[in-house]
Amino acid sequence: MAWGLVGLALGLPWLMGALWVRGGWRGAAAGVWPLALGYGYVLGLLVLTLLLRAQAAMGFPLNLIGPMLMLALAALAGGWWVWRRTRYAGGGEPAASGWREQPVWQRVLFALLLAWLGWRLAGLAQEIWWRPLYPWDAWTTWTVRPRVWSELRTLAPFVDPQSWLADTTGSVYTIEAWTYPYAVPLLALWPTLAFGAWNETAANLPWFGAALALGFGFYGQARLWGASALTALVFTWLLLSLPVLDTHVALAGYADLWMAVVFSLAAIAFFQWLRDGDRRQGLLALPLALACPLVKLEGTVWLVMFVPALLMVRLRGRPLWTLAGLGVVLGLGWWSVGGVAFSLPGLGEFRLTPELFQAPYLGQFRLGYRGTWEPVLKNFFALANWHLLWYLALAAAVTAVPGIRAERWRRVMAVFVASCLLLLFVLFFLTDAQRWAEQYTSINRVFLHFVPALLFWIVTVFVSPAPAVDRGRSTAGEHLSV
């Protein structure tokens, strides 16, 4: 009975999210249902975390009844919308190509790859089911709060150590990472509420769902881009077979898998929107991008990575060059005065100088070039963490040059990818985080946030986009088509 409630607790938000995403597509275009399953899971669970926070804010004890009722009503509304949208579907969108129309060898290879993926995912599911909570960061950071909340059935506050020592009521708690966002702990808490008590297997199950969602969303978007079923599955297989990603599924408890899923699915939908201005893709990208800071503190930095590309969408010609020139002037001025420092009310001090970067909650980093390439190159091109991904990325970068010169939306995509790579270069070569690369630790976890988006960009390089159809285009699509 308990495990049935856990399945219902995880399945209902997934169903609700999938139905609402599916309702955005009137026709049965290739990849729509996988896309709905992938994006629907993530959006549904993010909505769930907001419902739990609302329940606690209104003074109610944490339980299944309120959130499940709201999710059930939303699922019914989503089902009605899908029925209305698809009942008289026609025109505007091509139907999905039939399975029997594919050559026999493609169908055989597709089935073999699908079986391989199924076998791999089954192994990861067994790891989650049998292994107790294992990762160190899960013990110290991400599952401490859901364990406490599960026992107390309330979102007991976590404060800084000084406030905890000064408290005489015993109603507050502390951990070193007390400022971290609530979304991931709430995702671990929810299935334990359904189970009726704290259970580490139940707490870890959402991580397996996150891997499934990433695979479904990636495959569906690749099909919508124009990839054949086999090609889309090959790239999905490349993604889900990455050793670093699989490790974060098997050793559930870290927030990095969720950061990778939320940010990358947002970036992939953003790529689709850049291509033809499809409002539906924009509406998928926006909430996921805004949710990045709710997953990890560095999610705020990942959110900022959309800004350069968006500026390039809205500006061109003289305004764009004027803005770039203004940025150079401001940068030179910042350097000449020795940097800036100011306080943000309720947050803390922000400081950016040629020697130091400090931001509230993110911490303090000393700046200066650390020219140690060996651990980075070894991680990417020699060790087994990424298989041959980075060799493929190099080949894609060379292949992409003609397209970048020919089509503006490809240039905007390249700006987005370059902005993310520049951010990672600054982090690992210009700050104290260089030691993370030298110790072979967080360098792979941080790059994991960006890798699914990078792999989809590689798809856009090697796979020609499908012809544009009437998808409710926004002016952005027309703007970038010239």
Side-chain angles (χ1 to χ4, degrees):
M1 180 64 178
W3 287 111
L5 284 176
V6 172
L8 180 62
L10 292 175
L12 187 56
W14 191 352
L15 175 64
M16 183 274 295
L19 289 174
W20 277 97
V21 174
R22 176 61 183 88
W25 275 261
R26 186 181 298 274
V32 166
W33 269 114
L35 176 142
L37 290 171
Y39 281 78
Y41 179 84
V42 180
L43 290 170
L45 286 184
L46 288 174
V47 169
L48 168 67
T49 65
L50 299 179
L51 292 176
L52 287 173
R53 298 184 73 163
Q55 186 181 46
M58 290 186 289
F60 296 111
L62 296 176
N63 58 57
L64 294 181
I65 299 174
M68 292 283 275
L69 179 61
M70 298 295 293
L71 291 168
L73 292 175
L76 288 174
W80 175 83
W81 189 37
V82 171
W83 177 76
R84 285 292 304 272
R85 293 274 290 172
T86 58
R87 185 181 182 187
Y88 302 109
E93 292 174 332
S97 58
W99 172 254
R100 294 182 179 179
E101 298 174 7
Q102 306 299 319
V104 174
W105 70 269
Q106 289 191 15
R107 284 183 278 168
V108 170
L109 186 53
F110 184 96
L112 290 174
L113 276 177
L114 191 61
W116 188 346
L117 270 179
W119 182 260
R120 181 58 175 151
L121 290 170
L124 294 175
Q126 290 173 354
E127 291 282 352
I128 289 177
W129 192 262
W130 290 331
R131 187 188 298 274
L133 192 66
Y134 184 81
W136 176 251
D137 276 18
W139 294 348
T140 61
T141 302
W142 297 108
T143 54
V144 176
R145 285 184 287 186
R147 176 66 188 269
V148 172
W149 296 339
S150 177
E151 299 289 349
L152 300 178
R153 295 301 173 109
T154 185
L155 297 186
F158 280 73
V159 298
D160 62 276
Q162 291 75 23
S163 300
W164 176 73
L165 286 171
D167 177 72
T168 59
T169 66
S171 61
V172 299
Y173 298 81
T174 189
I175 53 176
E176 184 176 356
W178 63 276
T179 60
Y180 279 22
Y182 273 27
V184 172
L186 287 172
L187 291 172
L189 168 68
W190 174 246
T192 69
L193 294 178
F195 188 80
W198 176 257
N199 182 281
E200 294 178 358
T201 298
N204 288 339
L205 282 178
W207 271 253
F208 181 72
L212 288 178
L214 181 61
F216 278 125
F218 190 96
Y219 175 85
Q221 289 284 28
R223 293 287 282 137
L224 284 175
W225 182 267
S228 67
L230 179 58
T231 301
L233 187 63
V234 166
F235 278 99
T236 305
W237 169 77
L238 289 173
L239 173 63
L240 294 182
S241 64
L242 289 175
V244 171
L245 188 145
D246 288 351
T247 299
H248 280 263
V249 179
L251 302 181
Y254 280 76
D256 298 282
L257 177 64
W258 286 103
M259 190 74 257
V261 172
V262 172
F263 172 73
S264 292
L265 288 183
I268 292 168
F270 181 64
F271 290 163
Q272 296 274 27
W273 176 78
L274 287 176
R275 175 168 67 107
D276 58 10
D278 188 343
R279 290 190 182 93
R280 297 164 301 190
Q281 296 285 1
L283 289 174
L284 289 177
L286 181 61
L288 289 174
L290 294 177
C292 287
L294 303 179
V295 177
K296 293 196 75 176
L297 291 176
E298 52 264 44
T300 303
V301 182
W302 286 117
L303 174 60
V304 173
M305 293 300 99
F306 289 91
V307 173
L310 284 172
L311 287 175
M312 192 171 176
V313 169
R314 297 302 178 188
L315 300 175
R316 62 185 309 169
R318 182 175 297 177
L320 182 61
W321 287 108
T322 301
L323 182 64
L326 180 62
V328 171
V329 171
L330 290 176
L332 292 175
W334 163 80
W335 183 275
S336 64
V337 300
V340 294
F342 55 88
S343 294
L344 299 174
L347 293 177
E349 185 180 19
F350 182 96
R351 184 184 299 272
L352 180 60
T353 71
E355 297 82 24
L356 181 71
F357 170 74
Q358 177 182 322
Y361 301 119
L362 291 177
Q364 187 180 96
F365 297 90
R366 296 198 174 277
L367 302 179
Y369 180 72
R370 279 83 164 169
T372 307
W373 281 90
E374 180 181 357
V376 177
L377 295 176
K378 191 173 182 180
N379 265 294
F380 291 167
F381 298 103
L383 299 180
N385 297 314
W386 300 104
H387 283 330
L388 301 178
L389 170 68
W390 296 101
Y391 293 95
L392 180 63
L394 288 177
V398 174
T399 307
V401 173
I404 291 173
R405 296 179 61 185
E407 295 174 295
R408 190 163 186 267
W409 56 266
R410 289 192 182 275
R411 292 197 292 275
V412 180
M413 282 188 190
V415 166
F416 180 88
V417 172
S419 299
C420 294
L421 291 174
L422 178 61
L423 165 68
L424 294 168
F425 174 81
V426 170
L427 178 65
F428 290 109
F429 285 89
L430 301 182
T431 75
D432 302 332
Q434 171 65 29
R435 66 179 182 274
W436 298 345
E438 295 171 346
Q439 296 168 354
Y440 298 85
T441 54
S442 294
I443 180 172
N444 292 311
R445 288 200 288 152
V446 175
F447 268 87
L448 178 62
H449 303 168
F450 166 64
V451 158
L454 175 66
L455 185 58
F456 192 84
W457 176 76
I458 293 173
V459 172
T460 70
V461 171
F462 291 113
V463 177
S464 300
V469 295
D470 182 13
R471 300 180 175 182
R473 296 175 65 192
S474 68
T475 55
E478 299 174 0
H479 186 67
L480 293 176
S481 64
V482 294

